[in-house]
Amino acid sequence: MLGWQIAMPIRTFAPARRGSVAVASWQQQRLGHADRVQLMEAARRRERATRQPGSGRHGGELRQTGLRVLWALLYRGWGRAGACDPAIAQIAEAAAVARSTAQEALDRLEAAGILLRIRRGLVVGRRWCQVTSAYLFRAPAGWAPPSDTGFRSASASEDKIQEEEWQRTALPAPTTPPDPAWLRAAAARLGLLEDLEATA
């Protein structure tokens, strides 16, 4: 048993972080089986579409860990209060990943616009304490477009940077040719007048 029945584990020893909001009913979201399947299928399609073979990276924008964390949230994340609000440790256990990996996967899912993470706090006694974050899911039509840098390989990024740098530092367009009289005078001063007349 993963302890998903605990609605909001309260860590009374941890003060609430800045930006935390009070627990509210609007943080509840009801998703049916068809909604969960639709979200998972759209996430898998996005992962396949952003994968670049030969780039030296495993997976695409979300990676396999992102898909596993999304599955854990959709199918194991709801508590008794009707909100998807598991702790990071519970997400990591359900997805069979490390806590740091689960955190990184949540960051990728949030950057893609798939979910919204709401950091929450609760007054316990006279103290504003941190409780687990709530997660709301967005329909695939509202997801952010895939980033062209978030999943590009390091070598491809370096090539693009070098190309842009080269375009910025490219030689300027040629100007009008120098005045022939000035050119003859400069050649005479340098003792190259005979060579200039020979090539003319």
Side-chain angles (χ1 to χ4, degrees):
M1 185 68 179
L2 297 176
W4 296 106
Q5 299 304 316
I6 301 173
M8 294 177 298
I10 299 171
R11 297 178 295 163
T12 55
F13 55 87
R17 296 179 184 177
R18 182 178 298 174
S20 296
V21 300
V23 176
S25 59
W26 61 266
Q27 294 163 6
Q28 300 175 4
Q29 186 179 29
R30 301 206 176 274
L31 295 179
H33 178 70
D35 298 323
R36 291 180 171 93
V37 169
Q38 180 187 19
L39 285 168
M40 281 306 303
E41 286 301 316
R44 288 188 183 106
R45 283 195 303 272
R46 185 176 180 126
E47 170 64 17
R48 284 193 299 268
T50 56
R51 187 177 298 146
Q52 294 184 349
S55 65
R57 295 188 60 163
H58 298 289
E61 184 182 9
L62 303 178
R63 303 188 194 165
Q64 285 302 312
T65 53
L67 295 177
R68 288 161 67 176
V69 166
L70 179 61
W71 184 91
L73 287 171
L74 289 173
Y75 289 96
R76 297 284 187 268
W78 263 262
R80 269 193 252 175
C84 181
D85 57 358
I88 291 290
Q90 294 171 320
I91 297 170
E93 186 177 353
V97 296
R99 287 176 57 126
S100 59
T101 303
Q103 188 66 53
E104 291 170 2
L106 287 170
D107 292 341
R108 288 195 298 272
L109 291 168
E110 190 171 22
I114 296 174
L115 60 82
L116 172 66
R117 183 170 23 186
I118 305 162
R119 186 171 283 127
R120 306 184 305 173
L122 193 67
V123 176
V124 178
R126 295 182 179 178
R127 191 173 177 187
W128 180 243
C129 297
Q130 191 73 51
V131 297
T132 57
S133 296
Y135 301 92
L136 299 176
F137 301 92
R138 185 176 291 155
W143 294 358
S147 167
D148 69 337
T149 58
F151 54 90
R152 190 168 57 219
S153 68
S155 60
S157 297
E158 186 63 29
D159 291 343
K160 185 172 183 180
I161 291 170
Q162 287 180 354
E163 181 181 350
E164 291 172 352
E165 183 66 25
W166 181 84
Q167 289 175 355
R168 280 196 300 271
T169 60
L171 293 174
T175 57
T176 57
D179 182 30
W182 177 86
L183 188 61
R184 289 179 78 73
R189 277 196 308 269
L190 297 173
L192 302 174
L193 187 56
E194 295 82 12
D195 296 338
L196 182 63
E197 290 175 347
T199 56

